[in-house]
mmCIF file of all heavy atoms in Angstrom:
data_model
loop_
_atom_site.group_PDB
_atom_site.id
_atom_site.type_symbol
_atom_site.label_atom_id
_atom_site.label_comp_id
_atom_site.label_asym_id
_atom_site.label_seq_id
_atom_site.Cartn_x
_atom_site.Cartn_y
_atom_site.Cartn_z
ATOM 1 N N LEU A 11 -7.597 9.394 7.032
ATOM 2 C CA LEU A 11 -8.474 10.495 7.009
ATOM 3 C C LEU A 11 -9.859 10.143 6.899
ATOM 4 O O LEU A 11 -10.858 10.920 7.358
ATOM 5 C CB LEU A 11 -8.063 11.462 5.843
ATOM 6 C CG LEU A 11 -6.654 12.146 5.926
ATOM 7 C CD1 LEU A 11 -6.435 13.007 4.719
ATOM 8 C CD2 LEU A 11 -6.581 12.928 7.178
ATOM 9 N N VAL A 97 -31.637 17.743 -1.871
ATOM 10 C CA VAL A 97 -30.714 18.501 -2.734
ATOM 11 C C VAL A 97 -30.628 19.977 -2.185
ATOM 12 O O VAL A 97 -29.479 20.485 -2.075
ATOM 13 C CB VAL A 97 -31.142 18.434 -4.173
ATOM 14 C CG1 VAL A 97 -30.244 19.458 -5.063
ATOM 15 C CG2 VAL A 97 -31.026 17.067 -4.692
ATOM 16 N N HIS A 118 -17.530 25.442 -7.202
ATOM 17 C CA HIS A 118 -16.152 25.132 -7.287
ATOM 18 C C HIS A 118 -15.229 26.248 -6.627
ATOM 19 O O HIS A 118 -14.255 26.699 -7.186
ATOM 20 C CB HIS A 118 -15.689 24.960 -8.771
ATOM 21 C CG HIS A 118 -16.458 23.925 -9.481
ATOM 22 N ND1 HIS A 118 -16.272 22.534 -9.209
ATOM 23 C CD2 HIS A 118 -17.440 23.884 -10.369
ATOM 24 C CE1 HIS A 118 -17.093 21.803 -9.944
ATOM 25 N NE2 HIS A 118 -17.756 22.592 -10.639
ATOM 26 N N LEU A 159 -8.325 22.045 -11.023
ATOM 27 C CA LEU A 159 -8.437 22.544 -12.334
ATOM 28 C C LEU A 159 -8.504 24.054 -12.346
ATOM 29 O O LEU A 159 -8.020 24.680 -13.274
ATOM 30 C CB LEU A 159 -9.703 21.983 -13.008
ATOM 31 C CG LEU A 159 -9.698 20.482 -13.267
ATOM 32 C CD1 LEU A 159 -11.110 20.024 -13.721
ATOM 33 C CD2 LEU A 159 -8.716 20.171 -14.373
ATOM 34 N N GLU A 182 1.788 25.210 -12.621
ATOM 35 C CA GLU A 182 0.885 24.684 -13.676
ATOM 36 C C GLU A 182 1.462 23.402 -14.240
ATOM 37 O O GLU A 182 2.615 23.309 -14.580
ATOM 38 C CB GLU A 182 0.629 25.740 -14.790
ATOM 39 C CG GLU A 182 -0.206 26.872 -14.397
ATOM 40 C CD GLU A 182 -0.587 27.748 -15.527
ATOM 41 O OE1 GLU A 182 -0.843 27.197 -16.604
ATOM 42 O OE2 GLU A 182 -0.517 29.019 -15.387
ATOM 43 N N LEU A 273 61.814 10.408 13.062
ATOM 44 C CA LEU A 273 60.607 9.923 13.596
ATOM 45 C C LEU A 273 59.508 9.697 12.520
ATOM 46 O O LEU A 273 58.763 8.639 12.577
ATOM 47 C CB LEU A 273 60.067 10.856 14.719
ATOM 48 C CG LEU A 273 60.681 10.796 16.117
ATOM 49 C CD1 LEU A 273 60.141 11.954 17.004
ATOM 50 C CD2 LEU A 273 60.355 9.474 16.728
ATOM 51 N N SER A 281 50.184 10.420 13.668
ATOM 52 C CA SER A 281 49.654 11.785 13.496
ATOM 53 C C SER A 281 50.755 12.825 13.928
ATOM 54 O O SER A 281 51.737 12.392 14.645
ATOM 55 C CB SER A 281 48.434 12.033 14.237
ATOM 56 O OG SER A 281 48.688 11.997 15.714
ATOM 57 N N GLU A 332 76.592 24.422 11.637
ATOM 58 C CA GLU A 332 77.797 25.016 11.081
ATOM 59 C C GLU A 332 78.887 23.919 11.031
ATOM 60 O O GLU A 332 79.022 23.111 11.946
ATOM 61 C CB GLU A 332 78.212 26.129 12.007
ATOM 62 C CG GLU A 332 77.326 27.376 11.915
ATOM 63 C CD GLU A 332 77.316 28.085 10.556
ATOM 64 O OE1 GLU A 332 78.319 28.019 9.809
ATOM 65 O OE2 GLU A 332 76.286 28.623 10.194
#
Side-chain angles (χ1 to χ4, degrees):
L11 294 180
V97 170
H118 302 290
L159 291 171
E182 288 188 40
L273 281 173
S281 66
E332 292 293 334

